[in-house]
Amino acid sequence: MKLLKDKVLQEGIVLSDHVLKVDAFLNHQIDPALMLAVGEEFASRFAKDGVTKVLTIESSGIAPAVMTALQLKVPLLFARKQKSLTLRDDIFTEKVYSFTKRETSEITVSRKFLSPEDRVLVIDDFLANGEAAFGLARIVQQAGAHVCGIGIVIEKAFQPGSQKLQAAGYRVESLVRIASLTDRQIVFAEDAEDVRVQ
Ligand code: G4P
């Protein structure tokens, strides 16, 4: 997606060999026109999949996911990260470990909003090790619903998330794939000779 690639090049800041800061348009300040284009792109890629619900995780997944849901004319549901204060039986719960943040969070979704008839498109802002996407997919499975696929705004293709999700049978659609952030250079997978997963 050229618009997104250009934005990543213009406003992305490489913090380390592993981390790209995109708080100018995705993770803090949000570019609504870009998010609308992102939503249109995901909606067209999954137009024939009979999606009934878009599922993401707070907070940075919400902007691209809501635009996707708008285009697909279905509701957006986001998993919450707050710990529930009491054990409750009206929620689906999964644990998600973040390698980037080195912490485990509990994600929850109300049982009220997912049912076995649902065909769910999972959307997230970043794909690194795939933990968040797997956690969301496990919640869909708990509900007995179907995962149509996983849409990612920025995939770090040098980390194993995409491979692991595809090996588990999920369709992964990433709008940009980054092969490397080494030496403060952003190299896209389509421009790289090879993509080395670390
Ligand atoms: P994974 O789900 O693919 O395994 O990724 P990981 O645990 O490593 O990511 C944890 C958090 O860090 C996620 O945000 C993810 O979006 C973010 N993240 C991962 N790599 C990058 C990166 O290179 N740049 C930026 N900007 N973020 C990255 P989160 O905890 O869900 O936070 P938020 O959605 O509230 O922003």
Side-chain angles (χ1 to χ4, degrees):
M1 191 181 166
K2 184 165 184 320
L3 195 63
L4 184 60
K5 267 178 86 174
D6 290 346
K7 195 79 168 175
V8 167
L9 287 174
Q10 283 158 13
E11 298 186 23
I13 298 166
V14 182
L15 285 188
S16 71
D17 287 359
H18 289 92
V19 179
L20 176 70
K21 196 173 166 86
V22 288
D23 63 352
F25 60 91
L26 182 57
N27 288 148
H28 190 23
Q29 176 169 264
I30 290 173
D31 179 335
L34 180 67
M35 288 306 117
L36 181 59
V38 160
E40 285 168 350
E41 182 64 31
F42 281 134
S44 89
R45 292 191 192 196
F46 288 96
K48 296 195 175 119
D49 292 84
V51 174
T52 62
K53 204 154 278 192
V54 174
L55 176 65
T56 190
I57 183 166
E58 66 177 353
S59 55
S60 299
I62 294 176
V66 75
M67 291 303 191
T68 306
L70 179 70
Q71 297 299 318
L72 288 170
K73 300 187 170 59
V74 298
L76 161 70
L77 179 61
F78 67 88
R80 294 180 180 275
K81 282 187 201 150
Q82 301 110 293
K83 283 231 158 76
S84 57
L85 295 175
T86 51
L87 271 181
R88 289 164 48 193
D89 54 10
D90 57 347
I91 51 173
F92 298 115
T93 304
E94 282 291 338
K95 285 197 165 48
V96 171
Y97 177 72
S98 165
F99 289 93
T100 306
K101 297 189 172 170
R102 291 199 175 87
E103 63 184 26
T104 298
S105 53
E106 199 170 43
I107 62 169
T108 62
V109 168
S110 169
R111 287 178 183 265
K112 211 168 34 176
F113 299 123
L114 272 184
S115 62
E117 298 75 43
D118 273 318
R119 296 179 56 82
V120 180
L121 171 58
V122 172
I123 296 286
D124 210 356
D125 56 337
F126 268 93
L127 177 58
N129 293 288
E131 297 295 324
F134 271 116
L136 292 171
R138 285 195 301 271
I139 282 191
V140 176
Q141 279 154 8
Q142 278 194 49
H146 175 73
V147 177
C148 294
I150 295 167
I152 298 295
V153 181
I154 301 175
E155 175 189 324
K156 293 190 290 182
F158 55 87
Q159 291 182 277
S162 182
Q163 280 184 0
K164 281 164 46 184
L165 287 164
Q166 289 182 69
Y170 296 112
R171 173 180 164 202
V172 178
E173 292 282 344
S174 303
L175 302 189
V176 300
R177 300 181 65 236
I178 293 175
S180 162
L181 295 171
T182 308
D183 298 330
R184 300 286 190 269
Q185 290 288 328
I186 301 169
V187 179
F188 294 104
E190 64 203 62
D191 305 323
E193 282 175 12
D194 62 346
V195 181
R196 287 197 197 143
V197 178
Q198 297 159 14

